[in-house]
């Protein structure tokens, strides 16, 4: 199956006269989508990754959201809003196969870049979005106690409940108003005690 996709991708690249510059490291790219299709595109790409076993080439697909407090009829309500309507962020190794998979997903209109040629986000752009540009390696396990050294939870410490290598985060419980609440902390913001 993946051989067929590679052949299709090579054919498409050659007939369109486009040469996809392969990357030897994973970078974040931005795909433009039809408005309102962001989550559908994310879901479809994730299904394709699973079906074609591309987990080692397309590492993460994200639709960044932020919580916004809205006041409607005098009632405050927190809602999640897409930070970039019409765009999906993809952490992947750029090659003919990954380009083909993303570009030919229903709802994707192209990659962001000159003439729709994919251009990866720079480190400063990723920092602005809150994405860790460099992968952080840390020697911790579930059950270890860590101290938060930077960020909103600086000064707190806790026992690691779970580790997410892909997102580069650990989950600990902190005391908020007398209740234990789970929070995710980035690898770069913690120190093993």
């Amino acid at each position: 199956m993946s051989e067929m996709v590679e052949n299709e991708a090579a054919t498409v690249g050659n007939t369109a006269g486009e040469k996809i510059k392969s990357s030897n490291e994973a970078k974040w790219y931005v795909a433009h989508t039809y408005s309102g299709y962001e989550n559908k595109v994310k879901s479809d790409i994730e299904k394709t990754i699973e079906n074609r076993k591309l987990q080692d080439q397309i590492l993460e697909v994200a639709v960044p959201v932020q919580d916004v407090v809205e006041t409607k009829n005098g009632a405050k309500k927190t809602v999640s809003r897409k930070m970039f309507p019409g765009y999906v962020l993809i952490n992947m190794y750029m090659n003919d196969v990954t380009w083909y998979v993303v570009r030919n997903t229903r709802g994707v209109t192209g990659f962001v870049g000159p003439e729709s040629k994919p251009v990866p986000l720079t480190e400063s752009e990723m920092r602005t979005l809150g994405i860790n540009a460099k992968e952080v390696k840390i020697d911790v396990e579930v059950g270890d106690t860590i101290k938060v050294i930077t960020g909103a939870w600086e000064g707190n410490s806790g026992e690691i409940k779970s580790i997410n290598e892909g997102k580069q985060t650990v989950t600990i419980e902190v005391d908020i108003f007398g209740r234990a609440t789970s929070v995710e902390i980035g690898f770069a913001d913690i120190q093993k005690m």
Side-chain angles (χ1 to χ4, degrees):
M1 180 76 168
S2 113
E3 201 173 294
M4 182 179 81
V5 172
E6 287 176 28
N7 290 340
E8 280 181 44
T11 305
V12 168
N14 292 339
T15 58
E18 296 178 30
K19 191 71 177 157
I20 302 304
K21 187 176 179 186
S22 295
S23 63
N24 57 359
E25 66 177 274
K27 295 183 180 179
W28 284 93
Y29 295 88
V30 181
H32 187 263
T33 69
Y34 294 125
S35 185
Y37 278 68
E38 302 88 354
N39 291 327
K40 177 76 172 124
V41 166
K42 177 183 188 294
S43 173
D44 288 351
I45 291 173
E46 288 171 342
K47 283 178 192 165
T48 304
I49 291 168
E50 190 176 320
N51 292 340
R52 296 186 177 170
K53 305 210 181 331
L54 295 172
Q55 294 89 340
D56 59 336
Q57 295 181 53
I58 302 176
L59 309 177
E60 188 176 350
V61 182
V63 178
V65 294
Q66 63 184 3
D67 289 334
V68 178
V69 177
E70 288 183 348
T71 305
K72 199 171 195 176
N73 299 330
K76 288 187 178 184
K77 182 178 167 186
T78 303
V79 294
S80 289
R81 283 242 172 91
K82 293 179 186 93
M83 291 173 67
F84 310 107
Y87 296 95
V88 174
L89 304 178
I90 305 160
N91 186 11
M92 66 184 205
Y93 292 89
M94 182 57 68
N95 57 46
D96 286 339
V97 174
T98 58
W99 177 89
Y100 180 83
V101 165
V102 173
R103 186 63 187 86
N104 290 289
T105 299
R106 182 175 296 166
V108 173
T109 61
F111 281 96
V112 172
E115 299 174 16
S116 288
K117 288 199 173 27
V119 175
L121 293 171
T122 64
E123 285 195 35
S124 65
E125 289 168 331
M126 291 188 301
R127 273 194 301 279
T128 303
L129 297 173
I131 300 170
N132 291 334
K134 300 263 190 254
E135 194 168 295
V136 178
K137 296 285 183 199
I138 190 159
D139 182 29
V140 294
E141 296 176 4
V142 173
D144 287 350
T145 302
I146 56 102
K147 180 179 183 176
V148 182
I149 54 173
T150 60
W153 302 103
E154 183 176 354
N156 284 288
S157 59
E159 182 181 310
I160 297 175
K161 301 296 180 191
S162 66
I163 300 173
N164 186 328
E165 292 284 341
K167 287 175 67 179
Q168 299 259 302
T169 61
V170 296
T171 301
I172 64 168
E173 287 186 348
V174 296
D175 187 34
I176 301 175
F177 303 122
R179 267 180 49 189
T181 304
S182 294
V183 295
E184 272 190 341
I185 312 288
F187 285 178
D189 299 331
I190 65 171
Q191 177 181 330
K192 189 173 179 180
M193 293 180 74

